[in-house]
Amino acid sequence: MHPAAPAPSAPVLPTLLRKDSHAHDHAPTDRSFFLTARGLRWWLGISLFCVAASASAADDLPSRIAQAMQGTATPAMGVLVIRDGKVAEQAVSGVRRNDAKAAATREDAWMIGSTGKPITVAMIARLVEQGVLSWDAPLSTLLPDLATQMQPAYRDVTLVQLLSHRAGLPENLTDGVALDAFFTDKRALTVQREAYIKAALSEAPVHRPGTEFAYSNSGFLVAAVIAERATGTPVETLIQREVFEPLGMAGAGFGAPPAGQLLGHRGGKPVTDAPHKADDGVPPIYTAAGNLHMRLQDLALFAIDQLAGSHGQGKLLSPASYALMQTAQPGSPSGLDWGVQPSIAGRQGPVLVHGGSDGNWLAWVVLFPAQNSGVIAIANAADDMGADKASMGLLGGLFAELAPAATPAPAR
């Protein structure tokens, strides 16, 4: 069973990697970095939020953003609304960094954290469709040189299980010192990822693979290495070639946004230095798990293609691949890698949801395939500066405009 959703009065937002005082039993020290169970509940359990709109539907989008940000320290926020499979509204409000006056613009790129995971899945799906990879091949076949070194339980794990968080892998390396070392590692990213997955696959599973959902960034890094080995190409190039270029996502890239654009914020200050440890953000090797930047309109191109795919009209993938991504796995709240929900905040689904944060940024994508609508909301700060409050207030009102009220469950 996946963790229970949070009470409506207490939404909790995660960082992609975070230091938490409640370390897992399997953590070797008291310094465990992971997307917490509370964070998992945040993006998969959002359907139980009673979100109150902080801005009237009569206001224009810039005014609604500005009003949602009031009472928080969020420096900037961008929102894009999709209706009828097209961009209907887009607005950005605030400043690029809170110690200067330069305004954020529509051409600025934002870090999207784990919200980039469905993009990784789409890249893998393209390779499967090209016959380069197989959804159902076991790790013992995909990574034959590691078969004898990995935990025996992982040998039969498949790409589907890795990308739906059902492989049994811990969220991240449980050794915080080993994880921190990747922040300053100077080797090629492909070499570092090989070292990471060798360590990850040696760790004991948190449950028997294929039986339960357990959010895992490590699973996405294992999938990335499989793709790199099969193609002889870094995952960054694969994502660029297989997703960004076909969809025209011209402002999308890897790592921090270009100099002179938006900065993330933490503790009330702009983050001007690259992260050096898991407390600071994510390491460069985490591309496949959540280290992408892009403009709102770039992420919208991907979201709109996912909506089109749900109606058999997608550009990027086959109908079968869209269905696999957007259908919850047996006994799981997740597809590959969308949270799949029957409703959200009292609005009728089905709903595809993903959220992400590295502690310096916060991003949401929420799609209503039946309505061919959705919303993207991104801030250049996270919950410590009130970006969660600003996002929740704004999204509550927008959901009410994008989908009909959910049908009440029949009384028992």
Side-chain angles (χ1 to χ4, degrees), residues 208-253:
R208 184 163 59 87
T211 62
E212 296 183 41
F213 177 100
Y215 196 91
S216 177
N217 295 310
S218 291
F220 272 69
L221 269 71
V222 173
V225 170
I226 290 168
E228 289 177 331
R229 287 188 175 199
T231 62
T233 305
V235 73
E236 291 80 11
T237 302
L238 291 173
I239 291 173
Q240 183 76 39
R241 185 185 78 195
E242 301 295 337
V243 181
F244 293 169
E245 291 177 1
L247 292 180
M249 298 167 66

Side-chain angles (χ1 to χ4, degrees), residues 316-337:
L316 199 64
L317 305 173
S318 69
S321 292
Y322 288 111
L324 182 62
M325 289 184 68
Q326 299 176 12
T327 303
Q329 289 290 299
S332 170
S334 178
L336 280 67
D337 184 38

Side-chain angles (χ1 to χ4, degrees), residues 341-344 346-351 368 370-371 402-408:
Q341 305 178 189
S343 64
I344 186 169
R347 312 316 294 182
Q348 184 64 48
V351 191
F368 298 92
Q371 309 302 321
L402 297 174
T407 304

Side-chain angles (χ1 to χ4, degrees), residues 63-95:
S63 297
R64 296 172 78 167
I65 297 173
Q67 187 172 343
M69 290 169 58
Q70 286 181 2
T72 79
T74 308
M77 189 171 173
V79 178
L80 185 146
V81 179
I82 300 166
R83 293 189 176 93
D84 298 322
K86 299 176 182 178
V87 175
E89 301 176 80
Q90 177 181 353
V92 173
S93 181
V95 293

Side-chain angles (χ1 to χ4, degrees), residues 173 182 194-203:
L173 290 184
F182 286 104
E194 290 274 356
Y196 182 102
I197 72 158
K198 184 176 180 180
L201 291 170
S202 70
E203 295 187 334

Side-chain angles (χ1 to χ4, degrees), residues 32-97:
S32 180
F33 297 89
F34 51 89
L35 182 78
T36 66
R38 293 177 300 170
L40 167 63
R41 294 197 297 266
W42 164 62
W43 70 271
L44 290 176
I46 186 176
S47 61
L48 297 186
F49 286 141
C50 294
V51 185
S54 66
S56 167
D59 295 334
D60 61 20
L61 192 56
S63 297
R64 296 172 78 167
I65 297 173
Q67 187 172 343
M69 290 169 58
Q70 286 181 2
T72 79
T74 308
M77 189 171 173
V79 178
L80 185 146
V81 179
I82 300 166
R83 293 189 176 93
D84 298 322
K86 299 176 182 178
V87 175
E89 301 176 80
Q90 177 181 353
V92 173
S93 181
V95 293
R96 289 173 168 170
R97 52 188 297 168

